[in-house]
Amino acid sequence: MKYRPAVVAAAASVALLVGTPAAGAAEDGLNSLPACTDVSTAYGDYEQHDLKASLDITADEMVPGGDWSPAKGTVTNVGKRDLAKFGVSAYAWLQTDDPELQDLTKWVKVEVRTADGTWQPVNGTDTIDSTPLPAGQTRSYDLRIRVTKDVSAELGGSEFNFTGTFADVYRFPDTGKEVECAAEAIGYDAFHIRRASTPKPTPSTARPTPTASQASPTPMSTPTSAQPTASPSTTASASASASASPTSTTSAAPVPVPDPSSTGGELAETGGSDATLPLAAAAAGLAVLGAGAVVFARRRRG
């Protein structure tokens, strides 16, 4: 059975034996054993009742490149027998199919406190403590964890296991055959990785100064008459537009010349401009001259 990297610190009362022949022998003994859950796969009835494990990581969030965060792992032998083949490991992991994120040892660093109070890096291959665990005994391990500055942007956090493993025996229910196997108890915790957020711009409280184009417009004068007199250009514009229209095919009707006698020598109040008065007077004069010429001709004939 292969163990993953661990972040575990042995308590001052517990001597770490990593690297010693005894520790290596115990680790090799556990690694050579099949998992009890695999042995009992056909029946699925295996449960271990001898070991309990717990893990507590102080920080819920960690900052890339930040300081170490303390953690504590604990194992307790709650059975009635000593666990002669015993090992402790701790490791970060993530359930993912992305091969880039499967090995978290590149970014999640773990150290364990040794018996003399110094911190020892966990190399990710060895168990941390291989000392036999007597019945009823509890051991606590001081750990610390940090996330490197160059952690992948895809990694938003990590699961973390603190595992105690011991050699057990599985008995097949049909044949009674016994097989030595490795059992484990897992303490679990997790943490998030806090990313730097982009600060939002602070809105300005200063009021903009209005420009000349935004100043209040000068109020327009309003006509005092309820029915204003049409300007002289209105008639001229209307006449020009009527004569200049290319789509009109109907000839404009001739404008009758008013009789001076019927108007008392003045034009009717039709809104005409002063420029039309001389024209009307001239037309009236021609009419009078024409009438006088007719009378003079009749008298000569008579």
Side-chain angles (χ1 to χ4, degrees):
M1 181 177 181
K2 185 176 181 180
Y3 292 92
R4 288 184 172 179
V7 218
V8 194
S13 60
V14 179
L16 295 181
L17 302 179
V18 177
T20 65
E27 183 181 345
D28 291 341
L30 289 173
N31 286 339
S32 63
L33 297 178
C36 294
T37 52
D38 292 340
V39 173
S40 65
T41 296
Y43 300 94
D45 57 346
Y46 175 78
E47 293 182 5
Q48 68 88 10
H49 303 281
D50 294 298
L51 186 66
K52 288 185 177 181
S54 64
L55 174 67
D56 180 32
I57 300 176
T58 301
D60 293 330
E61 289 185 335
M62 296 188 190
V63 180
D67 201 359
W68 294 96
S69 178
K72 184 176 289 292
T74 302
V75 289
T76 301
N77 184 348
V78 296
K80 298 181 179 180
R81 58 183 174 131
D82 296 342
L83 302 180
K85 293 182 180 180
F86 175 76
V88 175
S89 62
Y91 49 92
W93 62 279
L94 185 68
Q95 187 67 38
T96 178
D97 293 331
D98 188 346
E100 180 68 18
L101 301 180
Q102 288 178 353
D103 180 15
L104 300 186
T105 59
K106 297 177 293 184
W107 305 305
V108 181
K109 301 302 179 181
V110 182
E111 290 185 355
V112 52
R113 190 193 296 274
T114 62
D116 60 3
T118 60
W119 292 97
Q120 176 179 328
V122 176
N123 60 21
T125 57
D126 296 330
T127 57
I128 293 186
D129 181 16
S130 300
T131 307
L133 184 62
Q137 187 177 101
T138 296
R139 290 180 186 165
S140 295
Y141 300 81
D142 293 330
L143 329 166
R144 65 181 186 180
I145 309 166
R146 65 183 295 268
V147 177
T148 62
K149 185 178 181 179
D150 61 342
V151 61
S152 171
E154 302 297 324
L155 185 62
S158 174
E159 318 291 336
F160 208 94
N161 281 2
F162 176 75
T163 304
T165 305
F166 65 97
D168 200 1
V169 174
Y170 176 74
R171 183 189 299 270
F172 286 92
D174 55 347
T175 62
K177 179 182 178 180
E178 293 184 348
V179 176
E180 188 177 27
C181 56
E184 63 182 14
I186 300 175
Y188 168 84
D189 206 346
F191 61 85
H192 300 284
I193 296 177
R194 188 175 68 214
R195 304 288 179 175
S197 57
T198 303
K200 296 182 180 180
T202 304
S204 175
T205 57
R207 295 183 178 179
T209 303
T211 60
S213 61
Q214 295 175 337
S216 300
T218 303
M220 301 295 292
S221 60
T222 57
T224 57
S225 175
Q227 295 180 350
T229 304
S231 63
S233 61
T234 305
T235 305
S237 300
S239 301
S241 62
S243 60
S245 174
T247 57
S248 175
T249 57
T250 304
S251 301
V255 179
V257 179
D259 189 355
S261 61
S262 62
T263 60
E266 294 179 359
L267 290 177
E269 295 180 359
T270 59
S273 65
D274 295 340
T276 60
L277 293 178
L279 296 177
L286 292 176
V288 171
L289 292 176
V294 171
V295 172
F296 177 77
R298 286 180 180 179
R299 285 181 179 181
R300 289 189 63 182
R301 289 176 183 178

